[in-house]
Amino acid sequence: MSERAALVAGWGAYVPERVVTNADLERALVTTDEWITTRTGIRERRWADPGTSTGDMAVHAGRAALRTAGLDRVDRVVLATTTPDHPCPATAPWVAHRLGLGTVPAHDVGAVCSGFVYALASARDAILAGSAESVLVVGADRFSGIVDPSDRTTAVIFGDGAGAVVLVAGTPGAPGTVDRVLLGSDGSCADHIVVRAGGSRLPVDAATPTADRYFTMRGGEVFTAAVSRLAEVAASALAHAGWSADDCDWLVAHQANRRILTAVARALGLPDAKVVDDLGRFGNTSAASVPLALAHHADRFDRGDRIVVAAFGGGTTWGATTLTWPGDPAARTTHARATRDRHVPARHHHGSPTAGPARGDHHADLVTPAPAGRPRHA
């Protein structure tokens, strides 16, 4: 088999319409805008309405990424999420169906806020192994449904959303190339980020305490571990790519907390201007945060820009990789077009590629590039 690489060929994102500001939370919780902003950097977040699921958001983001890539078919779908539509079955096959992708392989990945990086590794490996020519990778979460609305330590942090990228097979070193994805985990810290009830260890029944049904986090321990693990794995990814801090144009890390982003950047020797920060507008969107940030800031990236991507999440889990930005989607690899053209059309129910609009379409708020003229390094 000839030497291959996995290239980013498309991207897209989606957030719900409903904006929840810190002022809104002040009226519901014992908190203040100053407290939230100072501790997290978050000023507002998006929450999905009850009729919009993780799968719905994933469909929107996936459709946008396919459109950007100029493809209507892929060989595989990988969805990273902690909030699937159902405990069983996985959400990815339904997403693939709604996108009109027929019977392609589709599966979920559960690594909480590191999920997208884990999913990216799975997709890249499939392309390098030759089992796929193109893969849609989606990160989507609806954390507003699993956080305790009365808990100011978690309710103020999380937002809902989805982000996606399309990977295609191409030539190593071409713009869009995703380098080796470095991953790690530490199960001794499993209780640092957890929803205790709802699994086989603690099934939900009438006697289950309400607190055990919600997401909980040991903030101090998580902060310390996140900074340490993110800095370590991002530095390893840079070293594997042979890049110095000066070579790196952007850090796109999991959008958990502005103080974490700042500490990781300092540990890597990167100025704040090279740190992509979406926290103020979207909060922590878990597995969606990295692909959402890539899509939302795509207009700031130039073709060939060197980007380090890193994430840390429950488990605990972490991962990082480097990639070069592909630039204008119109300049994507000719291989992507060839891949699209040689796909056999998928079979669809009732002859419709999307079987009608996805649930929640009327709440769509596709993330679009920021206004023209936004500086590359603000």
Side-chain angles (χ1 to χ4, degrees), residues 84-90:
D85 287 3
H86 308 282
C88 175

Side-chain angles (χ1 to χ4, degrees), residues 32-293:
T32 65
D33 172 66
E34 180 183 10
W35 186 87
I36 299 170
T37 304
T38 300
R39 293 179 64 85
T40 69
I42 301 168
R43 296 189 179 278
E44 61 185 40
R45 70 289 293 148
R46 305 294 183 96
W47 285 357
D49 64 42
T52 301
S53 73
T54 293
D56 293 326
M57 295 189 292
V59 168
H60 287 302
R63 184 176 291 127
L66 289 168
R67 186 184 307 119
T68 305
L71 299 176
D72 55 14
R73 299 284 185 271
V74 290
D75 295 327
R76 186 170 299 191
V77 176
V78 185
L79 170 63
T81 186
T82 302
T83 57
D85 287 3
H86 308 282
C88 175
T91 304
W94 184 85
V95 171
H97 164 65
R98 299 300 290 191
L99 290 172
L101 300 177
T103 58
V104 299
H107 66 92
D108 291 2
V109 169
V112 199
C113 299
S114 299
F116 175 76
V117 176
Y118 269 71
L120 194 70
S122 175
R124 178 182 179 272
D125 288 349
I127 288 175
L128 266 58
S131 62
E133 297 295 317
S134 55
V135 184
L136 174 64
V137 186
V138 187
D141 269 310
R142 189 180 182 277
F143 258 58
S144 63
I146 65 170
V147 296
D148 182 347
S150 66
D151 179 7
R152 75 167 186 168
T153 64
T154 56
V156 304
I157 296 173
F158 291 95
D160 302 332
V165 300
V166 173
L167 297 187
V168 299
T171 304
T177 297
V178 179
D179 198 10
R180 179 184 175 190
V181 184
L182 307 178
L183 302 171
S185 72
D186 183 358
S188 70
C189 302
D191 64 344
H192 288 188
I193 298 171
V194 65
V195 179
R196 297 191 181 282
S200 61
R201 185 170 297 281
L202 182 60
V204 173
D205 58 30
T208 303
T210 300
D212 286 347
R213 305 176 189 223
Y214 287 124
F215 173 96
T216 61
M217 180 170 59
R218 291 165 59 174
E221 291 93 331
V222 171
F223 183 96
T224 300
V227 172
S228 173
R229 295 299 189 184
L230 282 169
E232 179 182 29
V233 74
S236 295
L238 287 170
H240 186 272
W243 299 354
S244 68
D246 289 340
D247 294 328
C248 180
D249 294 298
W250 302 97
L251 168 65
V252 182
H254 169 52
Q255 306 288 297
N257 180 302
R258 184 163 292 155
R259 292 182 297 141
I260 291 176
L261 292 179
T262 299
V264 172
R266 287 176 180 168
L268 295 174
L270 296 173
D272 290 343
K274 290 187 175 184
V275 180
V276 169
D277 185 347
D278 258 353
L279 278 161
R281 185 175 179 187
F282 301 123
N284 181 342
T285 54
S286 190
S289 78
V290 167
L292 196 160

